[in-house]
Amino acid sequence: MTTQRRERAPRQADVARLAGVSQSAVSRVIGGDPEAATRIPEDTRRRILEAVKELGYVPNLSARKLRNKTNRLLGVHTFEPVFPHARESFYFEFLLGIEERAEEIGYDLVLFTSTGAGDGRRRVYRDGTNRLNVADGTVLLGVATDKADLARLWQEGYPFIHIGRRDVPGADIPCVVPDYFGITGDIAGRLAALGHRHVAYLREDLELEPYEDRRRGYADAVGRLGLTDRSPGFRGEPGLDDAWLDELARGPETAVVSESERLAESLLRGLRARGRDVPADVSVVVLEGIGPEASPRWEHLDIPRKEIGRIAIDALVAIVDDPDARTESLDVPCSIVDGDTTASARS
Amino acid sequence: MTTQRRERAPRQADVARLAGVSQSAVSRVIGGDPEAATRIPEDTRRRILEAVKELGYVPNLSARKLRNKTNRLLGVHTFEPVFPHARESFYFEFLLGIEERAEEIGYDLVLFTSTGAGDGRRRVYRDGTNRLNVADGTVLLGVATDKADLARLWQEGYPFIHIGRRDVPGADIPCVVPDYFGITGDIAGRLAALGHRHVAYLREDLELEPYEDRRRGYADAVGRLGLTDRSPGFRGEPGLDDAWLDELARGPETAVVSESERLAESLLRGLRARGRDVPADVSVVVLEGIGPEASPRWEHLDIPRKEIGRIAIDALVAIVDDPDARTESLDVPCSIVDGDTTASARS
DNA sequence: GATGCTTGCTCATACGTATGTGCAGTGCGC
DNA sequence: GCGCACTGCACATACGTATGAGCAAGCATC
């Protein structure tokens, strides 16, 4: 092994010349092709490996990928900045799972992170070029998903999977998604089991797919369980106003499902201002992962993010291995974290 | 543009067939080769671009890189986890500068982030393969730099630059480094200008390159300015003990340079316990970027991290463009942030 | 001693792109 | 009516790797 800095990277042909064999012999030894490797005797094999060391040969990944169509490199692309802190704590656990699983199965990870447009949004395509294709496949994340990019990736046949459900007309985007539909149904069921018959729903002013699933799951359960909900949120109106708080304080409702901690907090303030409390008069469940430091200890939905990250990698690898395999969206069960904000219905 | 999902990615040859030209004509139109493009009439050009749209052609980056040896992709590799929060705030600004500058000059960024070894350290090589070589060059960061990796990259001739000085015997690693030597000299100069003649130095128990530079810069200035320093830190002993605090409280020293805020804080406590205060009796300057919320407002060293990130990209691109250009380490001037912890020497 | 199997390789080719060279056709000058 | 420059492409090749096919030598078998 020379300590000289090289002028040109050596290729297999150089190794071959030094070892006195052909380039293909080198390739077989390097690649560890198991069937053919046995046909190369230990002696030749050693000569080749010595030449590799001597020249400091390192395989050219681009050539490999061109030939093999595979790299053992998986990408992670976020449609919004990863570096900025704001959303980071939310995505952190996904990334942990992704990283963990990728390493377990011997894939390397690259994180794509350039901003093509000037608007801070991450885009996949930059003047007609798909940067992702240096990796065998990519996990996509982020609320600000660019659907045009998604559609194009799908149409292009590039192997990818999206964390969180995203619908694109005409394409069926492979996703791994928290089972919001099921868990909001379970939450309604739990409230019903506590004796609550009149319930309400607090809706955020956002029309993203994850919210749709929660709303459908809740509505489905309300119907199935014969509950009554006359809240604005249930009818499709976001927010929480004084008129509705007045009505809630007077009315028969004994339980509320809130799409966010923020809404739940103003609900709590509003109720207390009207002489009512949680959970004595009204039970509250929050549909969002919230930190352990929250007060009160909201009963809430927990998304198994790390697990989802791991599942995303497995699903992606399946797609990479067989691009024709139709991958349906994968639902991952969520759980309910007990808190201090639910109780039996007052009789 | 068909909305069908494709079986196989179209190549330039497919586009050429559809447009009734040769593959090379397609390449010239796509690549925008300016000299040759003029020789292709608008009509043919349009036919080709239409075929590109029709087939949804996207260039193959691996083939391009194999042929061109360039991607317009730059890598960022951290020798320690990026995702975990601990060190993040420190590296955050570097990354901002890197990202900003890369975008300005039309390069895309990929962040390498797999852990080869089980010890959580990021390594560049994974069973003899250098993952970085999917990018044209890479910016390396992190305190836990693996010097063996660095040496191998250098020997391999791979274009890279390290943020922060790192010395490897036999190789000269291209670095962009905060000019600790210069700025600690300036700090000593500033103290001298305030009339301090007897000074002291508080040393961390770490032997990393950045600390060496600060120590050399300080020592050099002390000698040059004719100051006196009889502190353990100046002699090479780390830490701060009661014996020394007693001596400092009694002795002639009127100014202290501290390698960290942590040390400065215990210094402050020790002095106050002995009836002395900062800056009335002793001036203190801290050699580390500290948050604005610190109290007292330490006079301290400021590292222009974003600027360093930007410079790293420019230096890297220079190396990528001409691998033979010997890139000396780049010193980036630091500045002193005024605080409430220095004053003129008591007379 | 002809046949066939095994060993230990080499040869040739394909992956998709970019580019130097070449060549047929057209228009112009004389 | 011929030479010449210019236009508008096509042809061929190289980048570095992996792999199916093939081939010579050696050995065993009948």
Side-chain angles (χ1 to χ4, degrees), chain B residues 1-22:
Chain B
M1 165 103 125
T2 165
T3 70
Q4 195 62 45
R5 186 185 168 95
R6 275 195 315 259
E7 60 319 326
R8 185 181 64 82
R11 21 179 208 281
Q12 291 183 351
D14 300 318
V15 174
R17 206 169 308 121
L18 184 59
V21 295
S22 75

Side-chain angles (χ1 to χ4, degrees), chain A residues 5-6 59 61-62 65 83 85 88 92 99 103 108 111 113-115 122 126 131 133 154 156, chain B residues 5-6 61-62 65 83 85 88 92 99 103 108 111 113-115 122 126 131 133 154 156:
Chain A
R5 185 184 170 96
R6 275 194 316 258
L61 278 191
S62 300
K65 167 125 198 184
F83 299 154
H85 293 186
E88 184 189 276
F92 180 59
E99 187 172 29
E103 182 171 4
D108 277 317
L111 185 58
T113 175
S114 100
T115 105
R122 266 61 177 164
R126 178 180 196 118
R131 305 158 18 252
N133 74 18
W154 181 85
E156 194 190 312
Chain B
R5 186 185 168 95
R6 275 195 315 259
L61 278 191
S62 300
K65 168 125 198 184
F83 299 156
H85 292 187
E88 185 188 276
F92 180 60
E99 187 172 29
E103 182 171 5
D108 278 316
L111 186 57
T113 175
S114 98
T115 106
R122 268 58 179 164
R126 178 180 195 117
R131 305 155 21 249
N133 74 19
W154 181 84
E156 194 190 313

Side-chain angles (χ1 to χ4, degrees), chain A residues 87-121:
Chain A
R87 286 264 157 198
E88 184 189 276
S89 52
F90 184 77
Y91 289 112
F92 180 59
E93 290 249 347
F94 288 121
L95 295 174
L96 279 189
I98 288 170
E99 187 172 29
E100 195 177 278
R101 185 63 185 145
E103 182 171 4
E104 282 175 16
I105 61 178
Y107 276 84
D108 277 317
L109 238 41
V110 297
L111 185 58
F112 295 101
T113 175
S114 100
T115 105
D119 59 1
R121 298 259 310 265

Side-chain angles (χ1 to χ4, degrees), chain A residues 1-10 54-66 69 71 73 81-85 88-89 92 95-96 99 102-103 105-118 122 125-134 152-160 170 172 174 319 323-324 326, chain B residues 1-10 54-66 69 71 73 81-85 88-89 92 95-96 99 102-103 105-118 122 125-134 152-160 170 172 174 319 323-324 326:
Chain A
M1 166 103 124
T2 164
T3 71
Q4 195 62 46
R5 185 184 170 96
R6 275 194 316 258
E7 59 320 324
R8 185 181 62 82
E54 164 79 16
L55 296 179
Y57 166 80
V58 166
N60 179 321
L61 278 191
S62 300
R64 262 200 187 161
K65 167 125 198 184
L66 178 59
K69 287 150 171 25
N71 249 354
L73 228 51
V82 179
F83 299 154
H85 293 186
E88 184 189 276
S89 52
F92 180 59
L95 295 174
L96 279 189
E99 187 172 29
E103 182 171 4
I105 61 178
Y107 276 84
D108 277 317
L109 238 41
V110 297
L111 185 58
F112 295 101
T113 175
S114 100
T115 105
R122 266 61 177 164
Y125 292 90
R126 178 180 196 118
D127 48 50
T129 303
N130 171 5
R131 305 158 18 252
L132 303 190
N133 74 18
V134 304
R152 187 153 177 206
L153 277 179
W154 181 85
Q155 192 263 328
E156 194 190 312
Y158 180 83
F160 71 96
D172 64 332
I319 296 176
D324 294 329
R326 280 286 0 101
Chain B
M1 165 103 125
T2 165
T3 70
Q4 195 62 45
R5 186 185 168 95
R6 275 195 315 259
E7 60 319 326
R8 185 181 64 82
E54 164 80 16
L55 296 179
Y57 166 80
V58 166
N60 179 321
L61 278 191
S62 300
R64 264 202 185 159
K65 168 125 198 184
L66 178 59
K69 287 152 172 22
N71 249 353
L73 228 52
V82 179
F83 299 156
H85 292 187
E88 185 188 276
S89 53
F92 180 60
L95 296 174
L96 279 189
E99 187 172 29
E103 182 171 5
I105 61 178
Y107 276 84
D108 278 316
L109 239 42
V110 298
L111 186 57
F112 296 101
T113 175
S114 98
T115 106
R122 268 58 179 164
Y125 293 90
R126 178 180 195 117
D127 47 49
T129 304
N130 171 5
R131 305 155 21 249
L132 303 190
N133 74 19
V134 304
R152 186 152 177 205
L153 278 178
W154 181 84
Q155 192 262 326
E156 194 190 313
Y158 180 83
F160 71 97
D172 63 330
I319 295 175
D324 294 330
R326 281 287 358 101

